[in-house]
Amino acid sequence: MFFKSIEFNGLGPFPEATILDIEPDVTVLTGRNDVGKSFILHAIQLLCTSKPISEQDANLFHVHMGTKIWNENPNLNCTVTAVLTKKTSRFVESAQVGDEISIEFTLAPELYSSRIASHRRDRGVIASASKKFSHMPRAITYSSVYEIGNAIDLFNPNPVEEIFIRRAFGADAILKLNSSSESVQGIILRQAGRAISQHLSRILPLEMDMTVHFRLKESLLYVDLEDIYFTSTPLSFRGAGVRKVLSVVSQLLEIPKDQECVLLLDEPENGLHADAQHELRRFLEGLALSESIQIIYATHSPSMINPIRPRTLRLLERTGSNDSFAQYAVTRINNRPIHDNYLNIRNSLGIWPSDSLLYAPITVIVEGITEKLCIPYLL
């Protein structure tokens, strides 16, 4: 199944029903700080793992002003609208591939439940108020807590290092290395370096291309990087951005392509040069071509936004509280923020007209909408 929309109600910065439209491939959340982008990713993870919310997830208005205690409040809920695929249609009675279902989640801990509220085909209702549904896609999140160190302890790697080792050496890396002679270990290390380097080359821009070399000393696996100038440097002497690249790429390469999943990324571009951000975005777009993978990420970077795919953009904006929610933060979701040449998007990213002038060899000032539309084609 893949998500089509999620309606949040009484959660995070959404005191009343607020709908997020979700694309079948990539959905990009943007907006200023503290508008709820990270919360949306967190909420989707809760839905996919069948977990209730905590008090911090409930909207403050409902916590402080609600008629019920927050953990018994039925108004804290989500409705997921999804399209069934071959892998999930068999879990819904009388379902076919392409059918649309709405799943209602009551998220207060004392009332937690999920059920199919409606089942539709070709805009006609097949069934409603059906039984519990628990076959949500797997949620995969990116961890920014761990990074790949210069010396990896093979007996105690962190989660990201464990993935990195597995992508380089395959399964049973410790067994392979410990049971081999010194000369065979050298062959295994070189093969592993080539393997992980090939994975990196799928994402990194040419000017960032690097070759990985491994050295083994007792139970410590040392990582050296050779750049395009053929200089090899221990990972510990490379910049924070390079270490971040290795950590991000390792986790993305671990995504299963035979299992339905939704990849949730919160500002994955942090620490990356703009060129690497562009490549990361293109990699994610390519990854989402798989029918089993949906990607939702939050970003503050224009490099992570593809202007020729405006349908992917979602803008979160703070709004003035009305009388009902006075003194409480309220966010609205603009599901099609592409008017006025992405003006709201540019404002949310802090892009000023002077930023564009800095890079423009020629600046053309036009008078009206006709020139605005025609001149790009002429140029």
Side-chain angles (χ1 to χ4, degrees), residues 285-326:
E285 292 170 351
L287 191 65
L289 293 175
S290 168
E291 294 182 356
S292 60
I293 298 176
Q294 264 186 301
I295 297 176
I296 304 173
Y297 65 82
T299 184
H300 287 147
S301 170
S303 298
M304 294 296 291
I305 293 175
N306 190 343
I308 65 174
R309 302 183 70 187
R311 63 175 177 80
T312 64
L313 292 175
R314 306 291 181 266
L315 177 63
L316 277 68
E317 301 172 290
R318 279 278 192 250
T319 63
S321 300
N322 57 33
D323 293 339
S324 301
F325 309 113

Side-chain angles (χ1 to χ4, degrees), residues 167-168 186-201 210-214:
R167 300 304 300 186
I187 296 173
I188 294 174
L189 293 172
R190 286 191 294 273
Q191 290 176 339
R194 284 194 293 268
I196 197 66
S197 299
Q198 289 175 356
H199 289 310
L200 292 173
S201 66
M210 59 184 72
T211 302
V212 177
H213 299 286
F214 292 115

Side-chain angles (χ1 to χ4, degrees), residues 155-179:
F155 291 100
N156 189 32
N158 67 45
V160 176
E161 291 173 339
E162 189 174 351
I163 295 172
F164 185 68
I165 294 170
R166 185 162 55 248
R167 300 304 300 186
F169 293 88
D172 302 323
I174 298 176
L175 180 63
K176 290 178 182 177
L177 292 169
N178 286 345
S179 61

Side-chain angles (χ1 to χ4, degrees), residues 256-311:
K257 295 187 178 181
D258 58 345
Q259 180 182 359
E260 290 187 334
C261 61
V262 54
L263 175 61
L264 307 170
L265 303 171
D266 196 355
E267 299 180 27
E269 74 278 1
N270 286 347
L272 302 184
H273 185 271
D275 286 339
Q277 292 181 28
H278 283 295
E279 293 298 327
L280 175 60
R281 173 179 57 76
R282 283 192 282 265
F283 175 80
L284 292 174
E285 292 170 351
L287 191 65
L289 293 175
S290 168
E291 294 182 356
S292 60
I293 298 176
Q294 264 186 301
I295 297 176
I296 304 173
Y297 65 82
T299 184
H300 287 147
S301 170
S303 298
M304 294 296 291
I305 293 175
N306 190 343
I308 65 174
R309 302 183 70 187
R311 63 175 177 80

